[in-house]
Amino acid sequence: MAKSLLSAEHFHDEAAALAFIEARVWPHGPVCPKCGETVRVSRMQGKSTKLAMCKCYVCRKPFAVTVGTVMESSHIPLHIWLQAIHLLCASKKGISSNQLHRTSA
Ligand SMILES: [Zn+2]
């Protein structure tokens, strides 16, 4: 099988995928999606925290980089989302969900 763009780390590694998304959504660090706070926010490092959650100390609410995106309430891993988004953007005519299923398996 030919080595494709999909061999990039953020298409396969969940931590790399998260870092990839954060670098684009939050180029200057975490931003609270509710109040826009950028200073009084911290990253939660709990063992049970799957996704890198942050907490805003202004509104006292936890949030993740995926808030407000299609990935927010999804159970699909982020690296799979990146594969899907990449394929959608790379194909001129778009891509059917069935084709997506076959490609990302
Ligand atoms: Zn806030």
Side-chain angles (χ1 to χ4, degrees):
M1 189 175 148
K3 192 174 181 182
S4 71
L5 278 173
L6 289 179
S7 61
E9 193 182 14
H10 59 258
F11 289 129
H12 301 278
D13 181 78
E14 190 67 358
L18 185 66
F20 181 88
I21 293 168
E22 285 199 356
R24 277 150 189 80
V25 179
W26 293 336
H28 307 294
V31 180
C32 174
K34 290 191 174 63
C35 68
E37 178 66 29
T38 57
V39 178
R40 280 174 287 172
V41 292
S42 72
R43 289 175 185 275
M44 294 164 71
Q45 302 289 352
K47 281 178 188 168
S48 63
T49 308
K50 288 181 197 166
L51 201 63
M53 296 296 293
C54 297
K55 186 175 180 182
C56 174
Y57 289 94
V58 177
C59 44
R60 298 172 183 278
K61 290 273 192 286
F63 63 91
V65 71
T66 52
V67 168
T69 75
V70 291
M71 300 170 273
E72 180 175 357
S73 55
S74 171
H75 295 293
I76 297 169
L78 295 177
H79 65 275
I80 300 296
W81 269 112
L82 290 179
Q83 287 186 25
I85 292 166
H86 173 79
L87 291 170
L88 287 168
C89 296
S91 174
K92 277 181 189 166
K93 293 178 186 172
I95 188 169
S96 74
S97 53
N98 275 323
Q99 191 184 347
L100 195 58
H101 172 75
R102 289 192 298 270
T103 312
S104 62

